[in-house]
Amino acid sequence: MRGSLKKKLAVSYLFIAAILFLLVNTVYAKRVEEKVFAKREQRLYEETDMIIDGYVERYYTNRITITRLMTDITPISELLNVRLWITAPWGKVVGDTAPLNGKVIEFSELDEDFEEFLSETFHRNVYFRGAMEEPMLVVVVPITYQYMVRGYVCTLVTMESVMQEARTYIYYMNLYYLAAMLVVLLVFIVIYCFMVLPLKKTISAARAYSLWNFEKKFTVRSKGEYRELADIINYMGDAMYRFSEYQREIISNISHDFRSPLTSIKGYAEAIKDGTIPPEQQEKYLDVVLFEVERLTKLTSNLLTLNTFDQKGIPLQASEFDINDVIKKLVNTFEGMCKKKRLVIQLLFSEKETFVYADPGKIEQVIYNLVDNAIKFSHSYGEIQISVEEKGKKAMVSIKDGGIGITKEDLSKIWDRFYKSDSSRGKDRKGTGLGLSIVKEIITAHKENINVISTEGVGTEFVFTLPLVISEEI
C-alpha cells in the first residue's frame, strides 16, 4: 500500500468499517434472522400448547361448545397478536379467531394439501389464497385426547411481524457497530498521535539534517523505540553539525597552510624571474623556496595518510621487532637538526633488546613525529630523553623534552587535526598540525594508549605502550 501512514491508516479504517458493515448486515444479520424465527416458533409452540391444555381439551370432552371455546380464546389470540385455527383431523377448520366474513374456511378452499401441512410443526412463508394477503408463519400443534389425535390448533402470525422483530435486532446491532467503529476510530487516532506524529517529526528532522539544516531540533513525548529513534536522529544531527564545522575548519586550515608557502614560492620565483633579486642572492631565496616546497610536500603527505586512515582504517602489518633498534636508527636521522640547535638526545633502555609485536613502519612514524616535535619545541643546548622500559606485558616508550611545554587549555586539543597552540605558531612554521593526529590514530589502531604530561615552560613528555613479545622459557 503506497502513500503516507496517515492515508494508510485512513484506508485501513475504511476497509475495516466496510468489512464489518457487510458482515453485520449480511452474514450476521442472516444468523440473527434465523435465531429470531426459531425463537418465535418455539414461543408460539409453547403458547399454543398452553392454550390446548387450558381451553381446547374442554371442547373435546364436551364440556364447552365450539362457540364458547372461540369466545374464550379470541382475547388470548388478540393479546398474543396471532390468529388461531381449530381444525378437525381431516383438515376442516371448525374454529377461527378471525373468520373471513364470518365463514369458516376449509383447507380445500385454501388450495393446500392439508394432510402434509398438518404433519409438520413449523411452516414459513405460507400463502393461504383467498384467506390472507401476506405470507404467514404457522405453528401446528396436534390435540391429543385418550391417545388419539382429535384435531389441530394452528397458530398463525404474519412473516412481516417476525421480520420486524429481526430488523429491530439488526438495527441495534448497527448501533453497536457504529459505537464500535467510533471506538476503533479513537484507537486509530491514538495510534496516529502516538506513532505517526512522532515518526513524521523524526522524518522532518532527518530531512532537515540531510539538507544540512542543523537548527531544527525536536523531541517526542513517546517512550521506547520512538524516543530512542529521536535520540539517535538528534545525535546524528549533532554529529553532522560537528563534522560540518570540523570540515569547514579543516578547509580553512588547509587553505591557510597552503596559501602561505605558495605565496612565498610565487613571490620569490617572480622576483628571481624579473631580476628583482640579483643573481648573487638567488641561491639564498631558492633555499627558502625549497623549504616551502618541503613544507607543502609534508602537508600533502600527511593529508593523504589521514585520508587513507579515514577511508580504510589503518591497515596494520604487525610483526615482532626490537623497538630499541628502531629508535637508534631514527635518532641518526635527526643528527643534522640536533647540531643546529645544539641538542643532545639521550637513550635510556631498561633492556638491551625489547621485542614488541606491532607494525614496525607505523611505530617508526609515531616515534619520528614525536621526536620531530620534541626538537622543534626544545630550547637550544637542551636535552631530549628517549626511554624504553618493560612493565609486565607492556613496553613503555617515552619521549621527553625540556622545551616550552603545553598550556592546560591546549592539552585536550593537541590531538585535533590542524590544531596549533598560539605559543607554537611562531616556532613551528614548518608544522602542519597533523603529526600528533597521525600518532594518536596509529596508537589507537594498535589498541594501545598514549598519554602526555606537560608543564608550560618546563617541558613535555609523551608516553605510549606496545605489547611485549614474551618468550617462553624451557
Side-chain angles (χ1 to χ4, degrees):
M1 188 187 296
R2 295 183 178 180
S4 66
L5 283 174
K6 184 178 180 180
K7 290 182 180 179
K8 290 179 180 179
L9 285 174
V11 171
S12 299
Y13 174 77
L14 293 175
F15 178 77
I16 292 172
I19 292 296
L20 288 179
F21 180 80
L22 289 175
L23 288 174
V24 167
N25 290 278
T26 54
V27 177
Y28 197 67
K30 195 68 178 176
R31 292 181 64 183
V32 168
E33 182 182 312
E34 181 60 34
K35 286 185 178 181
V36 169
F37 269 95
K39 187 176 180 180
R40 186 66 179 275
E41 288 172 343
Q42 183 62 32
R43 188 169 71 246
L44 289 174
Y45 182 88
E46 292 172 356
E47 292 170 348
T48 304
D49 194 51
M50 290 176 63
I51 292 172
I52 291 173
D53 290 342
Y55 297 94
V56 178
E57 282 188 354
R58 289 188 297 167
Y59 166 69
Y60 284 96
T61 56
N62 296 319
R63 285 186 286 175
I64 59 173
T65 63
I66 188 65
T67 303
R68 176 62 185 274
L69 173 62
M70 300 312 298
T71 300
D72 291 341
I73 65 175
T74 295
I76 298 174
S77 68
E78 292 175 353
L79 180 65
L80 298 176
N81 196 26
V82 296
R83 184 173 181 177
L84 297 174
W85 284 352
I86 310 297
T87 72
W90 55 88
K92 180 180 179 180
V93 178
V94 296
D96 186 355
T97 57
L100 182 63
N101 299 323
K103 178 183 177 182
V104 177
I105 298 173
E106 295 189 18
F107 275 95
S108 58
E109 298 176 357
L110 304 176
D111 196 20
E112 292 287 344
D113 185 347
F114 70 93
E115 291 184 356
E116 181 180 352
F117 183 84
L118 295 175
S119 65
E120 297 180 8
T121 304
F122 304 112
H123 303 271
R124 297 180 189 175
N125 288 312
V126 179
Y127 284 89
F128 293 104
R129 296 178 180 84
M132 299 166 191
E133 297 180 355
E134 54 184 321
M136 307 294 289
L137 170 65
V138 183
V139 177
V140 180
V141 181
I143 306 169
T144 57
Y145 180 70
Q146 294 182 349
Y147 306 103
M148 292 181 61
V149 176
R150 304 293 183 173
Y152 298 90
V153 175
C154 298
T155 303
L156 299 85
V157 64
T158 61
M159 290 288 293
E160 178 60 27
S161 65
V162 184
M163 287 296 298
Q164 185 61 40
E165 184 179 348
R167 281 194 287 269
T168 301
Y169 279 105
I170 295 171
Y171 169 77
Y172 284 110
M173 282 169 46
N174 277 289
L175 289 181
Y176 296 145
Y177 157 78
L178 290 176
M181 291 314 301
L182 285 175
V183 173
V184 173
L185 179 61
L186 289 176
V187 171
F188 272 74
I189 292 173
V190 170
I191 291 174
Y192 179 80
C193 292
F194 284 91
M195 296 182 68
V196 179
L197 285 181
L199 190 58
K200 290 184 73 174
K201 288 183 180 179
T202 305
I203 292 172
S204 177
R207 185 178 291 112
Y209 294 158
S210 68
L211 298 174
W212 298 92
N213 177 15
F214 302 109
E215 296 179 358
K216 188 177 183 64
K217 300 293 180 182
F218 76 106
T219 57
V220 295
R221 296 180 181 178
S222 303
K223 295 183 179 179
E225 288 80 1
Y226 281 98
R227 174 65 62 81
E228 185 178 353
L229 179 60
D231 291 342
I232 291 173
I233 294 294
N234 279 326
Y235 177 80
M236 288 175 59
D238 291 338
M240 291 174 68
Y241 174 75
R242 290 194 301 270
F243 176 76
S244 66
E245 292 296 312
Y246 171 70
Q247 191 178 44
R248 190 178 296 111
E249 184 180 350
I250 284 181
I251 293 173
S252 175
N253 287 327
I254 291 175
S255 300
H256 177 271
D257 286 345
F258 269 85
R259 187 184 301 113
S260 179
L262 285 174
T263 301
S264 296
I265 293 170
K266 180 182 179 183
Y268 290 131
E270 289 176 346
I272 292 171
K273 181 179 180 181
D274 61 22
T276 304
I277 298 175
E280 62 272 11
Q281 294 183 352
Q282 288 182 3
E283 184 177 354
K284 173 185 174 182
Y285 291 101
L286 283 174
D287 287 339
V288 175
V289 170
L290 289 174
F291 176 84
E292 298 293 357
V293 169
E294 184 183 352
R295 180 181 170 191
L296 284 175
T297 301
K298 186 175 181 180
L299 175 60
T300 304
S301 176
N302 286 339
L303 282 172
L304 290 174
T305 299
L306 287 173
N307 185 58
T308 303
F309 292 171
D310 289 339
Q311 290 182 348
K312 303 178 182 179
I314 302 180
L316 299 178
Q317 297 178 351
S319 62
E320 298 178 8
F321 64 94
D322 182 8
I323 187 68
N324 296 349
D325 186 54
V326 170
I327 292 173
K328 291 174 185 177
K329 291 178 179 177
L330 272 175
V331 167
N332 293 331
T333 64
F334 291 102
E335 184 177 353
M337 294 174 64
C338 290
K339 282 183 178 181
K340 286 182 181 180
K341 296 188 71 172
R342 304 293 191 271
L343 292 174
V344 175
I345 296 180
Q346 185 179 9
L347 302 181
L348 302 172
F349 301 140
S350 64
E351 302 292 337
K352 184 178 180 181
E353 293 180 334
T354 300
F355 282 90
V356 296
Y357 185 77
D359 186 321
K362 298 294 189 299
I363 297 304
E364 184 177 330
Q365 189 175 8
V366 167
I367 297 171
Y368 181 93
N369 287 353
L370 292 176
V371 174
D372 185 51
N373 261 13
I375 292 173
K376 287 175 191 174
F377 300 111
S378 290
H379 302 296
S380 297
Y381 301 95
E383 180 180 282
I384 297 172
Q385 289 184 356
I386 303 175
S387 64
V388 178
E389 183 180 359
E390 296 184 9
K391 286 189 177 182
K393 296 181 180 180
K394 299 290 183 180
M396 310 288 290
V397 182
S398 167
I399 293 91
K400 183 177 181 182
D401 66 65
I404 63 175
I406 305 171
T407 64
K408 291 182 179 180
E409 293 76 12
D410 293 329
L411 269 177
S412 61
K413 304 175 183 177
I414 60 173
W415 308 112
D416 296 343
R417 298 180 183 183
F418 292 101
Y419 181 76
K420 293 182 183 181
S421 64
D422 292 336
S423 60
S424 73
R425 290 190 180 274
K427 295 178 177 289
D428 189 22
R429 290 187 62 251
K430 193 178 176 182
T432 63
L434 297 174
L436 290 181
S437 298
I438 294 173
V439 166
K440 180 69 172 179
E441 297 206 24
I442 290 175
I443 296 299
T444 301
H446 282 81
K447 297 181 180 178
E448 295 296 329
N449 298 313
I450 181 167
N451 297 305
V452 57
I453 304 169
S454 184
T455 303
E456 191 174 5
V458 177
T460 303
E461 180 181 12
F462 287 91
V463 181
F464 65 90
T465 60
L466 291 174
L468 282 171
V469 176
I470 308 298
S471 59
E472 296 183 1
E473 296 184 1
I474 300 175

